[in-house]
Amino acid sequence: MSDAAFRRSLLVCCDLRRYSAADDHLQRALQELLVQSLDRAGRAAGLDRARWVRQPKGDEEWAVLPPDTPEPLVVDRYVRELDAELRSVNRYRVPEAKLRMRLAVHFGVTAQGANGFPGQDAVLVSRLLDSPVAKRALEQAPDADLVVVLSEVVYDSPVRAGRTTLDPAAFRRVAVSVKDFTGHAWLWLPSGNAHALRLEEPAPPPSSPSVVQHATASGGSTVVQAGRDAHMPTQRADVVQHFDRNDQRGSHFGPVYGAGRDGG
């Protein structure tokens, strides 16, 4: 990375909810609405999105802002304008066609690479966006159209320091663990209460206990039944053990017939 390419900038990315579940026509409409909504929110906040370096990804946009962009303007006014824009867009849309999204913001080192922006800060903002806790927040708040995740550095500088109109107490510190990244971030719902959500990782369902049964068949052989499978080692040639009505609750043995006798 050359010194000329090195700079610190705001990184802002967003991703739509349940985009992959939509059919082709709805996906096209959602893409158009996404770009229009981001542009309108930018204009309302006094931001020139034409200066942003943007990477469109269908249901996602990954952007690096100019280094001179004020952090409070993005974290505060732009986010508020975007939330208002989404409420307006979704007012008369059915739930399956609503434009609902997660938005992640970080401030760090950026440099243009051959196929994007390499570096740990670029990875970090992507991990915040894709974090399970952010996805759960959007699922648990059906009346909210926007979930915001700020990195710790962004929360500490403009928000906690009082450089915005945002209430620091409205943010909730959450653990983020995605792939090889583990850290913390600050979650906020502009039109909801982040502290009212149950964001803990759901507990795995209890495993079913295995059923193993032992029985001694005529002739001295051992029968072992686990679930529905039964295994019978070699028996004496003059005895055949028949099993009737085997299920997971136990083995019920049928009649025993001696070799050469009529079993009827």
Side-chain angles (χ1 to χ4, degrees):
M1 182 185 301
S2 66
D3 291 340
F6 179 92
R7 67 177 185 178
R8 292 186 181 274
S9 302
L10 278 172
L11 298 91
V12 180
C13 52
C14 63
D15 188 28
L16 297 182
R17 173 187 177 272
R18 296 184 59 83
Y19 174 84
S20 60
D23 62 25
D24 293 358
H25 297 291
L26 181 54
Q27 286 187 2
R28 180 182 294 274
L30 290 174
Q31 285 189 18
E32 293 174 354
L33 277 175
L34 172 62
V35 175
Q36 292 169 4
S37 297
L38 294 174
D39 287 344
R40 283 195 287 260
R43 285 194 297 270
L47 293 167
D48 183 6
R49 277 179 34 90
R51 298 181 61 211
W52 296 14
V53 180
R54 294 181 281 176
Q55 292 181 344
K57 300 180 182 180
D59 62 336
E60 182 180 340
E61 183 184 276
W62 203 98
V64 177
L65 280 58
D68 59 350
T69 304
E71 290 180 57
L73 180 61
V74 175
V75 174
D76 190 342
R77 189 174 175 189
Y78 174 66
V79 171
R80 291 186 186 276
E81 294 291 351
L82 179 58
D83 186 57
E85 172 66 23
L86 293 177
R87 285 201 310 273
S88 176
V89 166
N90 291 331
R91 181 167 294 129
Y92 301 112
R93 299 180 71 85
V94 297
E96 296 78 10
K98 286 188 175 183
L99 196 70
R100 304 180 66 221
M101 70 175 69
R102 308 181 311 278
L103 182 82
V105 185
H106 177 50
F107 182 80
V109 175
T110 62
Q112 182 70 55
N115 191 34
F117 288 87
Q120 294 305 308
D121 288 306
V123 172
L124 189 152
V125 71
S126 297
R127 298 294 182 258
L128 298 185
L129 181 68
D130 294 333
S131 62
V133 68
K135 295 178 181 179
R136 285 196 295 270
L138 196 57
E139 291 298 324
Q140 291 190 22
D143 295 331
D145 297 318
L146 180 63
V147 167
V148 180
V149 186
L150 303 184
S151 68
E152 292 200 285
V153 65
V154 172
Y155 174 80
D156 286 340
S157 180
V159 178
R160 190 199 297 272
R163 295 187 175 94
T164 70
T165 64
L166 306 178
D167 179 8
F171 288 76
R172 176 174 175 176
R173 192 170 188 257
V174 294
V176 176
S177 181
V178 184
K179 296 184 179 180
D180 57 349
F181 174 81
T182 301
H184 289 86
W186 291 87
L187 189 139
W188 174 46
L189 277 64
S191 295
N193 182 0
H195 298 283
L197 305 178
R198 299 187 63 179
L199 301 178
E200 297 78 13
E201 188 78 27
S207 58
S208 301
S210 60
V211 178
V212 179
Q213 297 190 3
H214 299 267
T216 301
S218 299
S221 65
T222 300
V223 177
V224 179
Q225 181 180 348
R228 299 186 178 190
D229 299 327
H231 172 66
M232 181 184 293
T234 305
Q235 280 187 304
R236 272 187 10 211
D238 63 340
V239 177
V240 178
Q241 177 69 60
H242 291 269
F243 296 90
D244 295 333
R245 304 176 302 279
N246 279 328
D247 60 23
Q248 292 187 359
R249 292 170 295 179
S251 298
H252 304 272
F253 298 108
V256 178
Y257 305 108
R261 293 175 54 190
D262 183 8

